[in-house]
Amino acid sequence: MNIYLQLIWAYFKISIFGFGGGYAMLSLIRHEIMGPGWITEQMFTDIVAISQMTPGPIGINSATYIGYTATGNTVLGAIIATMAVVLPSFFLVLFTSRFIQRHKDSAIIKGIFAGLRPVVVGLIGSAALLLMNGENFQELWSSITICVVAFILAYFYKLHPILIVTLAAIAGYLIY
């Protein structure tokens, strides 16, 4: 199958089943793009990092980069992958929003969303575990310490995320 059609199919599936946003989609993105061998584990980790640093949703940013890379650095590949991840979700929301708004008090709709919420939390947790790899935790104990301190500062002390990122960057510079 042509690489462009493979990209469309992979990102169509990611778009349709990407409940919970970018981080919840990470395990699905990883499965769909590493299965055909389009990228390596190291590249995936780098894509996640780049997608976090650039403005925009992680799913769209990663689609653009992977589409570009998987097709031999073509802009057409970037455009196709980006459109394949954006358009299905757009039309799904467009066509279902009126129905959901009209039936939001329905026990069936409430039940469906009640079932989806824990799945989203599980997928985000899966993404966190997925990113706990050798590329992100180079010096194990230093990396774990930075991770735990960042969690404590964010969760218990409610420090602003920009401050936590800045402190982690300083710690990384000093440690590594």
Side-chain angles (χ1 to χ4, degrees):
M1 186 190 310
N2 170 324
I3 184 69
Y4 296 104
L5 294 177
Q6 289 177 330
L7 279 171
I8 290 169
W9 179 239
Y11 277 102
F12 176 81
K13 291 185 288 186
I14 291 167
S15 180
I16 293 295
F17 296 104
F19 291 104
Y23 294 105
M25 292 170 43
L26 278 181
S27 59
L28 180 57
I29 292 171
R30 182 179 181 276
H31 177 78
E32 290 297 322
I33 64 172
M34 289 189 70
W38 294 334
I39 62 166
T40 64
E41 186 75 39
Q42 175 67 48
M43 289 174 71
F44 179 74
T45 300
D46 292 344
I47 289 168
V48 172
I50 290 167
S51 295
Q52 291 171 338
M53 293 186 301
T54 55
I58 194 168
I60 294 171
N61 292 345
S62 66
T64 304
Y65 182 81
I66 292 163
Y68 181 79
T69 305
T71 59
N73 302 332
T74 69
V75 173
L76 180 61
I79 292 169
I80 285 175
T82 303
M83 293 284 93
V85 80
V86 170
L87 291 178
S89 296
F90 172 77
F91 287 116
L92 184 65
V93 169
L94 183 69
F95 294 127
T96 62
S97 61
R98 179 175 277 166
F99 174 82
I100 291 172
Q101 186 63 31
R102 194 175 305 152
H103 300 286
K104 66 182 175 189
D105 296 325
S106 159
I108 294 170
I109 297 297
K110 285 181 178 180
I112 289 170
F113 282 109
L116 288 175
R117 283 186 212 109
V119 167
V120 170
V121 173
L123 289 172
I124 292 171
S126 170
L129 293 175
L130 182 72
L131 294 173
M132 290 182 176
N133 57 37
E135 285 81 25
N136 288 327
F137 284 75
Q138 294 172 358
E139 291 186 21
L140 186 62
W141 292 110
S142 299
S143 296
I144 290 173
T145 301
I146 291 171
C147 181
V148 169
V149 169
F151 174 79
I152 290 169
L153 292 175
Y155 189 78
F156 294 108
Y157 291 99
K158 311 292 188 230
L159 245 56
H160 196 285
I162 292 174
L163 180 58
I164 296 170
V165 169
T166 303
L167 292 172
I170 292 168
Y173 174 75
L174 295 173
I175 294 170
Y176 302 112

